[in-house]
Amino acid sequence: MNPDIRRERENASFNTQILTNILDGGAEKTRRRREIEALVINDPDFQHDDLNFMSRSERYDAAVKKSAQMILKLRDYGISDPEEIYFYKRFIHRGSSEPLDLHLGMFLPTLLNQASPTQLDTFFTPAWNLEIIGTYAQTEMGHGTHIRRLETTATFDPSTQEFVINSPTVSSIKWWPGGLGKTSNHAIVLAQLYTLGKCHGLHAFIVPIRCMKTHQPLPGVTVGDIGPKFGFDEVDNGYLKLDNIRIPRENMLMKYAKVEPDGTYLKPPSDKLTYGTMVFIRSMIVGESAKALSKSCTISIRYSAVRHQSELRPGEPEPQILDYQAQQYKLFPLLATAYAFTFVGQYMSNMYHRITGDINQGDFSELPELHALAAGLKAFTTWNANTGIEVCRMACGGHGYSRSSSLPDIYVTFTATCTYEGENTVMMLQTARYLVKSYRQAREGQQLSGIVSYLNEPQRVQPHPVSSRPTVVNINDLSSLVEAYKLRAAKLVEMAAKSLQGELQHRKSQEDAWNNSSIELVRASDAHCHYVVVKLFAAKLSEVSDTAVHSVLNTLALLYALHGVALNSGDFLQAGLLNVPQLGQVTQRIKALLAEIRPNAVALVDAFDYRDEMLNSVLGRYDGNVYESMFEWAKRSPLNRTEVHDSYYKYLKPLQSKL
């Protein structure tokens, strides 16, 4: 092991294993995760060549092969718990996307949540056994996030008891669904429901697209792969054009909304139930943001501990670059963010399952809050993680540009989350709509509950941006910082609501007023989400009994909160929560926190517990033997299979003879 990284671990002030258990949600979950991980890593069927040296077709082929083997082994091992299936699948594909992602992550969950008991009997078992391989076809070439304007139609024909599914325009062609191009034989298609001459909005339909025996496209179905993307090389993201395809009435998912044999439409208890799968995925993406950022921090911090560069003092040995304050300022706030997002991901998962249980009992009261929070946190966490991954890559200098570091692959895979399952700006505006509605309800005297209950409190803090008198924030106290974030959020929600009202008073339409206030609305949602993250990070500390672990997590939480104050100081000044002299104090306190975290930095990323096989990074190796690993990786490049490449004989040698 590299002596630098060994020394880092010896100097840590806390037990890494205790913190790993907290991140996993308990010691038993850590044990079981590692057990499942070992099943995969020790299985020769899941060993493969470096994907970086494969063509796209080879990567797709390898991914399908592993996915097929995965299904068989899940049955052999008797793994059926959804969380354990997720672990197993993630270890096999090691963070990369794969062709069955939407089958497992959207097709099956949509059946479970939106199919009637009869439909579950018909479709779920064949789908679980991969006789039916499904995808989730929502996005169209012309519409994505604004799903209410999707153009695909499903028209009920009472005379045949069938729906006619049609793509009426070029822009209505389904575009982007993973696994659609070559893998799936069925799709859950989101389409505008027409019955008895009336449109009832979007509903979900199970549509066969390929022959179950030959896998050839069915008549009237035009389907294929959309071509290379920025990333996702293993996935056949596809297009789907449907020319008046007929499916039985029973193929409309009818747990909530229904169409009777005579064409009568029975509406669901809530129109948001149609979007339940999206809410589920958005909730999951919060946790994925934490994983992508925590992997990136692990790689960049471990590398920074073994990389020596330049001189702090003339004549002395080159220091570890982790000793430079500027490097710490790049990486440690991101490390704190990765921890914060991990705890928020746990909260969102628990919240989703709790509210889903309530929905199954007929209680839909918390669905709007879940919908709004999932949308906002999806945007907030993916924007921040996406930016953070790139900071981690650049913090590794030139070697971060090599795909051997794994950082480019983490980035190109993760960056898609900023646009799929809802483009982030639109997600923030959806959250803002809920916040403005809640603000108005509070002003009308209604008592709000849940995460927006802080809007019940009238804002008494008055702006005094140049004052030096004491303010609300004690920058050394986490509970005081949580209070400041709450008041900042309340102030920005109030400003957004007043901007909207002001626009309406200028005789603008609701739509124009909303558009003209969108900057304030996005800022309000961002502040709300930021408050939620700080609040949940602080709340997690109350669950930690180990003194050393509590201390290091408290330091991270303070750094996360104060770094956010520094980046958004204008908001805190404008709300009268900070004064100008305190800004300098914030900077000094951040510097002190960086120094506190420095001895524990490697141990803190070790606690994420990523095995080398999962990171797949020469820079992030646990043993720190970076340069030896990098040299061996480079020698495996296909260009090195021969000493002289064919291009020399074909082009360069003839050229030289003519000069």
Side-chain angles (χ1 to χ4, degrees), residues 206-223:
I206 301 173
V207 181
I209 57 175
R210 290 180 179 271
C211 175
M212 299 281 279
K213 294 181 179 179
T214 67
H215 207 61
Q216 290 289 331
L218 293 171
V221 174
T222 304
V223 62

Side-chain angles (χ1 to χ4, degrees), residues 553-612:
L553 284 178
N554 186 68
T555 303
L556 284 174
L558 277 170
L559 178 60
Y560 178 77
L562 285 174
H563 189 256
V565 169
L567 293 180
N568 301 279
S569 57
D571 290 347
F572 289 90
L573 285 169
Q574 187 176 20
L577 301 167
L578 272 181
N579 55 45
V580 173
Q582 278 184 302
L583 291 181
Q585 296 170 20
V586 167
T587 300
Q588 293 306 311
R589 186 70 179 107
I590 287 173
K591 289 181 178 182
L593 292 169
L594 296 177
E596 287 181 39
I597 291 168
R598 170 64 186 88
N600 286 312
V602 169
L604 282 166
V605 296
D606 284 352
F608 292 126
D609 204 28
Y610 291 117
R611 290 180 57 155
D612 285 347

Side-chain angles (χ1 to χ4, degrees), residues 161-186:
Q161 293 295 290
E162 293 173 317
F163 290 101
V164 181
I165 314 293
N166 189 45
S167 306
T169 63
V170 171
S171 55
S172 70
I173 296 170
K174 295 295 182 183
W175 199 269
W176 279 114
L180 175 61
K182 296 296 176 184
T183 308
S184 300
N185 54 30
H186 282 68

Side-chain angles (χ1 to χ4, degrees), residues 451-555:
I451 206 71
V452 293
S453 60
Y454 66 91
L455 295 175
N456 290 323
E457 305 167 22
Q459 302 311 301
R460 297 189 179 89
V461 178
Q462 297 300 319
H464 45 89
V466 296
S467 172
S468 60
R469 69 176 184 246
T471 54
V472 171
V473 183
N474 176 355
I475 64 173
N476 297 302
D477 180 66
L478 190 55
S479 61
S480 176
L481 287 164
V482 173
E483 180 72 9
Y485 272 90
K486 180 183 78 173
L487 294 171
R488 172 202 175 214
K491 185 67 177 177
L492 287 176
V493 171
E494 179 183 61
M495 290 170 62
K498 288 182 175 178
S499 172
L500 194 59
Q501 188 60 37
E503 292 290 337
L504 287 170
Q505 288 172 355
H506 286 84
R507 299 181 181 177
K508 290 186 171 68
S509 67
Q510 285 279 355
E511 295 76 14
D512 287 340
W514 186 264
N515 183 47
N516 290 341
S517 301
S518 57
I519 294 173
E520 290 91 343
L521 291 163
V522 170
R523 286 182 63 210
S525 290
D526 183 83
H528 171 73
C529 293
H530 210 161
Y531 160 61
V532 170
V533 175
V534 173
K535 176 184 171 69
L536 293 176
F537 200 165
K540 189 69 180 182
L541 295 180
S542 65
E543 303 173 18
V544 179
S545 57
D546 184 271
T547 304
V549 172
H550 186 281
S551 176
V552 75
L553 284 178
N554 186 68
T555 303

Side-chain angles (χ1 to χ4, degrees), residues 265-445:
Y265 174 72
L266 303 177
K267 68 179 183 179
S270 168
D271 58 357
K272 289 182 172 59
L273 288 167
T274 304
Y275 314 138
T277 302
M278 286 192 303
V279 174
F280 167 67
I281 296 299
R282 289 170 188 166
S283 300
M284 290 283 291
I285 287 173
V286 175
E288 291 303 312
S289 299
K291 290 180 177 62
L293 187 55
S294 61
K295 284 183 180 180
S296 303
C297 287
T298 300
I299 294 165
S300 56
I301 287 175
R302 283 180 179 171
Y303 177 63
S304 296
V306 301
R307 177 75 173 185
H308 291 253
Q309 186 92 4
S310 303
E311 294 178 337
L312 274 174
R313 299 174 187 85
E316 292 189 1
E318 293 180 298
Q320 299 159 276
I321 61 174
L322 199 56
D323 286 336
Y324 288 104
Q325 189 181 77
Q327 187 78 344
Q328 295 169 15
Y329 189 68
K330 290 177 190 174
L331 297 178
F332 292 174
L334 294 176
L335 176 62
T337 303
Y339 271 85
F341 288 0
T342 299
F343 300 138
V344 175
Q346 292 174 354
Y347 174 86
M348 285 303 297
S349 178
N350 293 334
M351 181 183 186
Y352 174 81
H353 290 301
R354 176 177 60 78
I355 293 177
T356 299
D358 293 342
I359 289 170
N360 289 334
Q361 298 298 316
D363 179 0
F364 303 97
S365 59
E366 291 189 82
L367 183 57
E369 179 177 333
L370 173 62
H371 185 271
L373 190 58
L377 285 175
K378 181 266 183 187
F380 183 83
T381 59
T382 57
W383 266 336
N384 282 275
N386 192 59
T387 302
I389 294 165
E390 179 64 356
V391 171
C392 288
R393 186 191 67 77
M394 290 191 288
C396 292
H399 292 324
Y401 191 68
S402 170
R403 289 176 74 168
S404 68
S405 73
S406 196
L407 290 165
D409 286 328
I410 294 173
Y411 182 83
V412 299
T413 299
F414 183 78
T415 194
T417 61
C418 293
T419 48
Y420 72 56
E421 299 310 313
E423 191 277 330
N424 278 358
T425 300
V426 179
M427 293 296 92
M428 283 297 197
L429 289 170
Q430 284 189 12
T431 302
R433 197 174 295 278
Y434 178 76
L435 292 173
V436 169
K437 180 180 179 181
S438 299
Y439 172 84
R440 288 172 175 168
Q441 288 173 337
R443 297 291 78 79
E444 291 167 0

